[in-house]
Amino acid sequence: MIRSAQNINSFLFLLLGMILSGLIYVGYTSTWERNRGQSECLKTEGYLGITVLTTHANTQQNDNLYWPQGLLYKQPIVVGTGGIVTLTPWLAPIVWEGTFDPQLIDSIYKRKNITIATTVFALGKYTQFLKKFLESAEQQYFVGFRVLYYIFTDKPEEVPVVKLGAERYVTVLKVPSSNRWQEITLRRMEKLEKLIESQLANEADYVFSLDVDTQFYGHWGAESLDRLVGVIHPGYYQTPREQFPYERRPESQAFIPSAEGDYYYGGAVIGGLVKDVLQLAKTCRKQLEADAAQSIEAVWQEESHLNKYFIYNKPSKLLSPEYLWQDFKAKTKEVKVIRFSQVIKNYAAVRPNP
């Protein structure tokens, strides 16, 4: 009896410490909850009516996955001898067809009443891609969710009128024209940062920045949501990192040494929680400005700075090349579904400069 009493006292002492530390709290509700700007927790009722807070994978508070520069490790693979790889070495999921139930995960997130903001830049002759982008998005992209499209353009009069579903809206934002396509891409991080600070911080839960010269061909839903999301570029997902088109000049803020790097991320898709995308955009904007002050332009402009950011600030979820394909490429054996793809175009005809 004495030993049992001691065990009970020890348990109660441990329990009290856990309650005071905030690891658990007494309650009886088992449900999903989300607080804007905070982590997502699954409450599961346990022994003695104690509710344990289990943080949703990769979305803990203060869980930014910072990586020390100069740490050398083996390059991660996307496709191995046994087929597709579905986890990164830091345990972030890589989303492929067959790794999720679209109906199930969409149903879970629809109950959370979330809003997804989506930005696209359509300047100059790129306005011609808006109609197919929006029409295909209405068929495939977060169908049944509240979606706010923000279109940055220098030609508001050329934005097409497209029939939208319920709780889906288009906002047109006029921006200056440019005679260099490189300058357009260089300004995207700045525009995204300002939009988040001025509007999206109070209007949306998640934000995606997508290229306009693309089209949706398959389901794109809540499986893509997480704290910070990048997409693996379809042209380099089986390429040695020494051959990635990273910025290799040490004088650039986007510089990546040849022995470092995980994947080559496409700049056509950036997403995540509003606050995390804001931090990404702000960091890249500052690095772009630092380069500009030294008359340096990274080899692939904002995409180069994005790749630098993702090496040392690991994304919490990766989208497979299904989420950024290229229309001129045939499907490979590992790519079962093409969800989002860059359309075929004559760059000389749509860009203002070579």
Side-chain angles (χ1 to χ4, degrees):
M1 292 295 292
I2 294 175
R3 181 174 298 177
S4 297
Q6 289 176 337
N7 289 341
I8 292 173
N9 287 337
S10 297
F11 171 75
L12 292 175
F13 182 80
L14 175 62
L15 181 61
L16 178 61
M18 294 177 72
I19 292 173
L20 292 175
S21 66
L23 292 177
I24 59 176
Y25 73 98
V26 178
Y28 297 91
T29 304
S30 177
T31 185
W32 280 98
E33 286 189 356
R34 174 191 55 78
N35 294 319
R36 187 183 301 272
Q38 298 184 359
S39 60
E40 299 169 355
C41 298
L42 177 61
K43 299 181 181 178
T44 56
E45 187 174 311
Y47 182 60
L48 296 178
I50 294 169
T51 302
V52 181
L53 296 185
T54 305
T55 305
H56 188 267
N58 297 314
T59 55
Q60 299 178 21
Q61 282 183 296
N62 302 318
D63 70 338
N64 290 358
L65 304 177
Y66 299 121
W67 211 260
Q69 295 193 27
L71 179 64
L72 302 181
Y73 52 91
K74 186 177 179 180
Q75 178 184 353
I77 60 173
V78 180
V79 180
T81 55
I84 59 172
V85 175
T86 59
L87 277 179
T88 70
W90 59 93
L91 300 183
I94 304 175
V95 184
W96 295 89
E97 172 70 8
T99 61
F100 64 96
D101 182 326
Q103 183 177 4
L104 174 62
I105 193 167
D106 277 4
S107 297
I108 291 171
Y109 274 82
K110 283 177 182 177
R111 291 173 60 86
K112 293 158 67 67
N113 194 31
I114 60 173
T115 298
I116 301 101
T118 303
T119 68
V120 291
F121 288 74
L123 277 75
K125 296 180 180 179
Y126 274 74
T127 55
Q128 66 186 275
F129 301 112
L130 274 171
K131 190 171 190 296
K132 285 188 176 180
F133 175 91
L134 290 170
E135 287 179 344
S136 63
E138 286 302 290
Q139 295 296 316
Q140 305 288 354
Y141 180 71
F142 286 107
V143 175
F145 288 85
R146 177 180 170 86
V147 174
L148 310 177
Y149 299 104
Y150 289 88
I151 300 173
F152 291 88
T153 182
D154 56 342
K155 298 181 177 180
E157 69 280 2
E158 294 187 11
V159 174
V161 176
V162 173
K163 184 178 180 181
L164 303 176
E167 293 295 296
R168 300 169 77 91
Y169 308 92
V170 169
T171 299
V172 179
L173 302 171
K174 193 174 189 325
V175 294
S177 302
S178 177
N179 57 9
R180 293 183 69 244
W181 66 266
Q182 295 92 340
E183 184 66 28
I184 295 170
T185 65
L186 287 167
R187 293 206 307 259
R188 295 206 315 180
M189 290 297 184
E190 175 192 357
K191 298 298 183 185
L192 180 58
E193 177 189 357
K194 290 182 177 178
L195 177 64
I196 292 175
E197 290 180 331
S198 64
Q199 290 184 247
L200 301 190
N202 298 316
E203 293 181 353
D205 301 279
Y206 296 88
V207 58
F208 279 90
S209 178
L210 305 177
D211 273 6
V212 70
D213 53 338
T214 49
Q215 191 168 343
F216 294 89
Y217 294 104
H219 171 91
W220 178 321
E223 77 282 354
S224 66
L225 297 175
D226 215 284
R227 180 183 59 80
L228 187 61
V229 180
V231 64
I232 299 173
H233 196 291
Y236 302 100
Y237 69 94
Q238 296 192 75
T239 302
R241 60 183 167 196
E242 294 81 7
Q243 298 176 23
F244 287 164
Y246 289 155
E247 175 54 62
R248 300 299 189 183
R249 293 171 295 171
E251 58 267 31
S252 171
Q253 295 292 313
F255 168 65
I256 299 173
S258 60
E260 296 187 41
D262 304 312
Y263 312 92
Y264 189 79
Y265 298 96
V269 177
I270 306 168
L273 289 171
V274 167
K275 66 182 181 67
D276 290 279
V277 176
L278 172 61
Q279 185 60 42
L280 180 155
K282 184 176 295 186
T283 302
C284 290
R285 187 264 302 164
K286 290 179 179 179
Q287 293 181 346
L288 285 158
E289 289 178 350
D291 269 7
Q294 300 297 321
S295 300
I296 299 171
E297 186 176 287
V299 59
W300 287 109
Q301 296 81 39
E302 48 127 27
E303 186 173 84
S304 297
H305 290 272
L306 172 71
N307 273 274
K308 173 70 173 287
Y309 187 87
F310 274 157
I311 289 180
Y312 305 119
N313 303 268
K314 301 296 190 189
S316 57
K317 179 175 284 185
L318 279 66
L319 304 181
S320 71
E322 296 171 0
Y323 292 81
L324 182 60
W325 202 243
Q326 295 163 316
D327 279 359
F328 62 82
K329 292 171 65 77
K331 279 197 301 186
T332 59
K333 61 181 180 181
E334 57 272 1
V335 176
K336 308 299 183 184
V337 175
I338 296 174
R339 305 181 188 280
F340 188 56
S341 184
Q342 295 176 315
V343 301
I344 297 172
K345 54 195 164 295
N346 180 351
Y347 284 107
V350 296
R351 287 179 171 175
N353 63 294

